[in-house]
Amino acid sequence: MKKETTGDWFISFGLETDEGDLPEKPDVDSLNADNSVGVDLGILNYIHTSDGTTVDWIDLEDEYERLYREQRKLSRKEHGSNNYENQRQAVAKVKRHIRQKVLDYQHKLTIWLVTEYDAVFVEDLNVAEMLQGDGNARNKQAAAWRQFITLLEYKGELYGTHVVQVEAAGTTKECATCGVETAKPIWVREHSCPSCGFECNRDANAAMNILQRGFAELGLGWPESTPVETVLPTDTTRVSAKRVVETGRPTLNEATPVAE
Ligand SMILES: [Zn+2]
């Protein structure tokens, strides 16, 4: 039992289950570019998949505005007074709301990934190194991605999906077609290889590298007969966070009712 700073009590239960109850993962040899996906965790707050879907990160602007407002109010209360205690709880409640909203969103995205694909590959992030910007925003984003990967891994076990973390270094610089590295500052959004001429969206190139590294990690080669160009989607679908929140997934199957 745990009392939160909001004053709410929580009771947790631990259940022991049989390992044998978990579904078996698909045979590694059955994996291919159609049933597997590389996921690039964007530093600009979105994920990008190797088959061309960009999913926006959830918009928390209103929530943060409310949080700063409540925090400002708290700073004006007399420390230790009843008013102070009440306002402290108000701040804690907004923080909890933000945490729950992020967690809910990540549950939806990770469930979508492990049910849509047989194998999901993500970067083994040294998030602190990857991110630039001020310390506070960096830590928040790093913690969010770490939580995302944790959810993805346990759901992989739960749903029988391969979830593999791959070496993250160079996924953006490297050309998905020829492997030649090119320095690429954050503001350069296109990949254009000086060596082989391959051109595509910066994040699509990174996601494709992640997919290839995932295959290598599982001991599968990238079939020579499958050039990256034929696997890469010709255009990118951008999905708003709102759609994920409302439908629980970034893709909407026409045959599937929304309220499943
Ligand atoms: Zn190239």
Side-chain angles (χ1 to χ4, degrees), residues 82-98:
N82 279 346
N83 280 342
Y84 181 88
E85 183 54 27
N86 288 340
Q87 190 54 35
R88 191 190 59 74
Q89 289 210 359
V91 169
K93 276 186 180 145
V94 181
K95 281 186 183 170
R96 181 187 62 186
H97 176 69
I98 292 173

Side-chain angles (χ1 to χ4, degrees), residues 63-77 86-92 94:
E63 281 79 3
Y64 277 112
E65 221 166 80
R66 216 178 114 210
L67 177 62
Y68 299 139
R69 213 162 49 230
E70 299 293 354
Q71 281 174 331
R72 268 198 306 276
K73 274 196 222 162
L74 180 64
S75 69
R76 290 194 293 266
K77 307 280 185 218
N86 288 340
Q87 190 54 35
R88 191 190 59 74
Q89 289 210 359
V91 169
V94 181

Side-chain angles (χ1 to χ4, degrees), residues 101-167:
K101 204 168 168 181
V102 168
L103 184 61
D104 174 68
Y105 192 64
Q106 294 192 339
H107 272 305
K108 284 172 176 155
L109 278 184
T110 49
I111 284 175
W112 165 66
L113 284 168
V114 299
T115 51
E116 187 82 8
Y117 301 96
D118 290 344
V120 182
F121 306 114
V122 284
E123 293 155 283
D124 183 359
L125 286 183
N126 186 344
V127 187
E129 258 178 36
M130 180 185 85
L131 294 166
Q132 292 161 1
D134 77 277
N136 193 25
R138 181 169 57 211
N139 290 341
K140 255 187 240 164
Q141 190 60 50
W145 285 147
R146 233 172 267 127
Q147 177 173 277
F148 181 85
I149 291 172
T150 304
L151 294 184
L152 195 60
E153 291 209 305
Y154 92 71
K155 285 196 206 316
E157 296 304 317
L158 220 52
Y159 289 81
T161 305
H162 296 276
V163 172
V164 180
Q165 292 189 52
V166 304
E167 170 65 46

Side-chain angles (χ1 to χ4, degrees), residues 175-180 191 193-198:
C175 173
T177 302
C178 72
V180 164
H191 168 78
C193 181
S195 179
C196 72
F198 176 55

Side-chain angles (χ1 to χ4, degrees), residues 18-87:
D18 221 342
E19 278 279 318
D21 291 347
L22 293 173
E24 255 184 59
K25 293 176 185 171
D27 196 21
V28 167
D29 291 328
S30 72
L31 299 178
N32 56 48
D34 288 327
N35 60 24
S36 307
V37 71
V39 182
D40 179 47
L41 304 178
I43 26 184
L44 301 176
N45 298 340
Y46 54 77
I47 68 169
H48 191 103
T49 68
S50 53
D51 50 12
T53 307
T54 299
V55 189
D56 285 336
W57 186 246
I58 196 166
D59 178 12
L60 294 167
E61 211 175 303
D62 290 350
E63 281 79 3
Y64 277 112
E65 221 166 80
R66 216 178 114 210
L67 177 62
Y68 299 139
R69 213 162 49 230
E70 299 293 354
Q71 281 174 331
R72 268 198 306 276
K73 274 196 222 162
L74 180 64
S75 69
R76 290 194 293 266
K77 307 280 185 218
E78 193 191 328
H79 208 284
S81 67
N82 279 346
N83 280 342
Y84 181 88
E85 183 54 27
N86 288 340
Q87 190 54 35

